[in-house]
Amino acid sequence: MASAPVSRRIFIRSSAAAASWLAASPALIGRAQAATLKLKCSSSLPNDPKFANGRVYYDNLVKSLKANGLGDMVDVAFFPDNQLGQEIDVINSVKLGVIDMMVSGSSISANLVPLVGTYDLGYLFSSFPQQTKAFDAGAAKPIEDALLKGANIRIIAWAYNFGSRSVLAKKPVKTPDDLAGLKIRTLPNPIITECLRLMGAAATPLAFGEIYTALQAGVLDGLEHDPPTILASKFFETAKNYALTQHNFSPLAIYFSEATFTRMDPKLRDGFLDAAKKAAVETRAHGLAVEKEALAALAEKGVNVVECDREAFRKRVAPQADNFIKARPEAKAVIELIRATQI
């Protein structure tokens, strides 16, 4: 009988503890639900806050997330300079959901969904503002839909690469004949490689992270890229002639894993996507301003920046679009929309 009072005391203490836990549980559950969402964002470019589009976009995204009240709810870790691997490996990791985000040109995803290569056709766009006009008119949606269906990757915003792509070489280039025989690095993308071949070069696909050493070793005679990237990556140290071929106004895509998109809380997701789009708008404005500054900086560093016979290059590349449409008829409507908005 002596044990009864002890059991009663234990029961009372246990009941009090249970009641205390239940009273605290809403706060505990609330804190669990408010746990910070951690995302990984990759860029192949250096960690340059002015001339590297990945870093500029990241900084704008962080600012937009704070403005949307999500600064403590979403933590985006930035990995520049190929820290998570070469671009072709990263885009596959985004497809699988291993990496959440990637800031890169549209070109890299054409390796997964060939229709994206539409945007890589030589001299398709005449300017970046025209590109935005075309996308707003509907030229982006078929590409976005194809990438989501074919690779489980969403494009959550479009920005600009920081300038049109032109040719940096170890010798002056003004005409297609000047490009003949020169080993010019291109993205590992068949459309851009074909564009440079038609322009006259010995087009050489190579991963971005291998360009500098290949130029140093003489494996390459040059590359094609935008001025800020050439400046930020110091490619001007090994090649001193920049021909303004302006053969490609490559769109900058903000890639997002569908796996990450699906697991996000819808309320959090809406605010995040809004911030992503606002950051892209800010990045576009920055890109337009910084291209001219980068060209001036390259000239100061001894690079010979020259106008070239763009019309001659354009004529050489002209058959590319027609051949692409024959191979991929679904690209015709996109190309016609883009051409209809040329300024």
Side-chain angles (χ1 to χ4, degrees), residues 28 36 77 88 96 101 120 122 127 151 166 221 226 260 272 326:
L28 294 171
T36 302
I88 189 62
L96 297 172
M101 297 179 65
D120 295 323
S127 70
S166 291
D221 297 310
D226 60 77
T260 304
F272 175 82
K326 288 177 183 177

Side-chain angles (χ1 to χ4, degrees), residues 35-116:
T36 302
L37 175 66
K38 295 184 180 295
L39 303 175
K40 289 186 289 187
C41 178
S42 175
S43 170
S44 65
L45 300 190
N47 195 26
D48 188 312
K50 186 173 186 179
F51 293 114
N53 56 44
R55 170 63 189 277
V56 171
Y57 179 80
Y58 170 74
D59 288 344
N60 284 327
L61 178 61
V62 170
K63 182 177 69 175
S64 294
L65 286 170
K66 289 180 180 177
N68 280 10
L70 301 178
D72 295 327
M73 300 175 70
V74 181
D75 178 21
V76 183
F78 183 55
F79 297 89
D81 210 15
N82 292 305
Q83 289 179 16
L84 299 182
Q86 298 294 341
E87 284 192 309
I88 189 62
D89 300 318
V90 172
I91 195 71
N92 274 292
S93 292
V94 175
K95 175 182 178 179
L96 297 172
V98 177
I99 296 173
D100 306 291
M101 297 179 65
M102 179 184 188
V103 181
S104 183
S106 62
S107 308
I108 195 65
S109 59
N111 292 285
L112 302 180
V113 177
L115 183 63
V116 185

Side-chain angles (χ1 to χ4, degrees), residues 169-333:
K170 294 182 179 181
K171 59 169 279 189
V173 171
K174 291 188 177 182
T175 69
D177 289 341
D178 295 330
L179 264 182
L182 294 187
K183 297 186 291 294
I184 302 298
R185 180 267 178 181
T186 72
L187 279 158
N189 169 300
I191 307 302
I192 287 187
T193 301
E194 175 70 1
C195 175
L196 267 291
R197 188 191 67 77
L198 289 170
M199 289 170 65
T204 308
L206 192 70
F208 186 88
E210 300 173 17
I211 297 174
Y212 191 94
T213 53
L215 286 166
Q216 277 186 320
V219 174
L220 293 175
D221 297 310
L223 68 145
E224 49 90 48
H225 226 302
D226 60 77
T229 298
I230 288 168
L231 184 64
S233 302
K234 301 186 185 302
F235 296 139
F236 61 85
E237 293 178 348
T238 55
K240 295 292 186 181
N241 298 280
Y242 194 45
L244 298 177
T245 55
Q246 297 181 326
H247 54 273
N248 187 295
F249 288 84
S250 175
L252 186 70
I254 314 305
Y255 297 108
F256 200 68
S257 171
E258 176 66 1
T260 304
F261 181 90
T262 301
R263 68 182 170 85
M264 289 179 76
D265 179 89
K267 292 180 181 178
L268 181 65
R269 186 169 62 204
D270 291 344
F272 175 82
L273 294 177
D274 180 68
K277 288 178 170 57
K278 288 175 180 175
V281 172
E282 293 291 325
T283 304
R284 287 179 195 170
H286 180 93
L288 289 175
V290 84
E291 178 183 13
K292 293 180 181 178
E293 190 173 342
L295 277 172
L298 287 171
E300 289 176 2
K301 293 181 180 298
V303 175
N304 181 31
V305 180
V306 297
E307 293 288 343
C308 60
D309 189 351
R310 278 194 290 273
E311 189 56 33
F313 287 113
R314 187 179 289 107
K315 287 180 179 177
R316 292 280 297 265
V317 174
Q320 187 181 34
D322 291 336
N323 291 335
F324 190 79
I325 290 171
K326 288 177 183 177
R328 304 196 177 280
E330 65 272 29
K332 183 178 180 180

